[in-house]
Amino acid sequence: MSEQDEVKWLQGLRVGDDRAFKVLFEKYYASLCAFATNFVNDPDVAEDIVQELFSTIWEKQMSFKSLVSFKAYLYNSVRNASIDYLKHKDVE
């Protein structure tokens, strides 16, 4: 998928296009799960973190100014959610 295609899908996401959401989800899901697994050491928890992130993006119909900001948002959100999970796990 070219960068232009991704920008097109981001524009679709902004207007609630479920096909655009699906394409972006499929593009980033595996790499985000792997990224989260590096933090939490549990693939099931990592999947939950990533699914929750995409659920939030869809529900809030979030918009992003650029592809760079979208990618940064995804990875920063996964990192932060993973750290929050680990903090909560330590409290228990």
Side-chain angles (χ1 to χ4, degrees):
M1 176 184 313
S2 73
E3 191 170 315
Q4 285 180 336
D5 289 339
E6 283 189 69
V7 170
K8 181 182 111 180
W9 293 120
L10 277 178
Q11 291 168 345
L13 182 64
R14 188 176 304 137
V15 296
D17 180 350
D18 59 343
R19 196 172 96 212
F21 176 83
K22 181 179 179 186
V23 166
L24 291 168
F25 177 87
E26 289 174 353
K27 173 160 178 57
Y28 290 103
Y29 181 77
S31 62
L32 289 170
C33 286
F35 183 67
T37 300
N38 288 331
F39 285 98
V40 298
N41 295 317
D42 184 334
D44 292 330
V45 171
E47 287 184 15
D48 289 343
I49 288 170
V50 174
Q51 289 173 2
E52 183 64 31
L53 168 62
F54 275 98
S55 177
T56 299
I57 290 170
W58 179 251
E59 288 171 5
K60 294 184 178 182
Q61 291 192 341
M62 301 173 87
S63 62
F64 300 89
K65 294 181 181 180
S66 70
L67 186 56
V68 172
S69 67
F70 179 66
K71 288 179 185 178
Y73 176 80
L74 291 176
Y75 283 92
N76 284 329
S77 295
V78 167
R79 185 194 71 225
N80 292 339
S82 297
I83 291 169
D84 288 347
Y85 167 80
L86 293 172
K87 286 179 183 175
H88 181 74
K89 185 177 173 188
D90 284 346
V91 169
E92 290 179 345

